[in-house]
Amino acid sequence: QVQLVESGGGLVQAGGSLRLSCAASGRTVSRYAMGWFRQAAGKEREFVAVVSWSGGTRTYADSVKGRFTISRDNGKNTVYLQMNTLLPEDTAVYYCAADEYYNAVIRGDGYWGQGTQVTVSS
């Protein structure tokens, strides 16, 4: 019932910036917590960031604190991930996630998008 469509992935040099977007549609989606996961080749999917439906609460993985910022525009049902000072270690497929429960998003529960590739070159 909930559809998530990511965009903004691509190739960027180390030290550069990129902004990912995730457009959501479906009933009650504006009341959902939304976040981002990523999966590098040969590694497990890992949590990146989440924001509550109101935008008042955010949680980040230690590896991205101070470099990435998550935000949302409920008028557009869209969540963003601003990624600065990118490192080669950030290379991964990035997935948008959503659920009515904040902690469920952190656990990787709920709905998922198709993913968008981010590649950071040295």
Side-chain angles (χ1 to χ4, degrees):
Q1 205 74 13
V2 175
Q3 183 180 22
L4 305 172
V5 181
E6 301 98 330
S7 63
L11 176 65
V12 65
Q13 295 184 25
S17 298
L18 205 61
R19 188 176 78 160
L20 304 182
S21 299
C22 175
S25 61
R27 74 175 191 271
T28 72
V29 69
S30 64
R31 305 285 295 193
Y32 277 32
M34 298 181 66
W36 295 90
F37 280 71
R38 66 186 184 185
Q39 186 169 26
K43 297 184 178 180
E44 294 184 344
R45 189 173 301 185
E46 65 176 351
F47 168 78
V48 176
V50 63
V51 60
S52 63
W53 72 266
S54 68
T57 304
R58 298 175 177 86
T59 302
Y60 296 94
D62 289 341
S63 60
V64 305
K65 286 181 180 178
R67 299 190 298 121
F68 291 10
T69 302
I70 189 169
S71 61
R72 67 189 299 162
D73 183 341
N74 287 344
K76 299 180 179 179
N77 288 327
T78 299
V79 65
Y80 305 95
L81 186 68
Q82 179 65 47
M83 305 184 294
N84 298 326
T85 318
L86 282 162
L87 303 169
E89 301 92 279
D90 296 317
T91 296
V93 177
Y94 283 71
Y95 297 90
C96 182
D99 196 270
E100 63 182 305
Y101 300 111
Y102 188 88
N103 290 334
V105 175
I106 297 177
R107 294 194 305 269
D109 203 357
Y111 298 94
W112 295 89
Q114 79 285 355
T116 184
Q117 177 71 46
V118 172
T119 302
V120 183
S121 65
S122 60

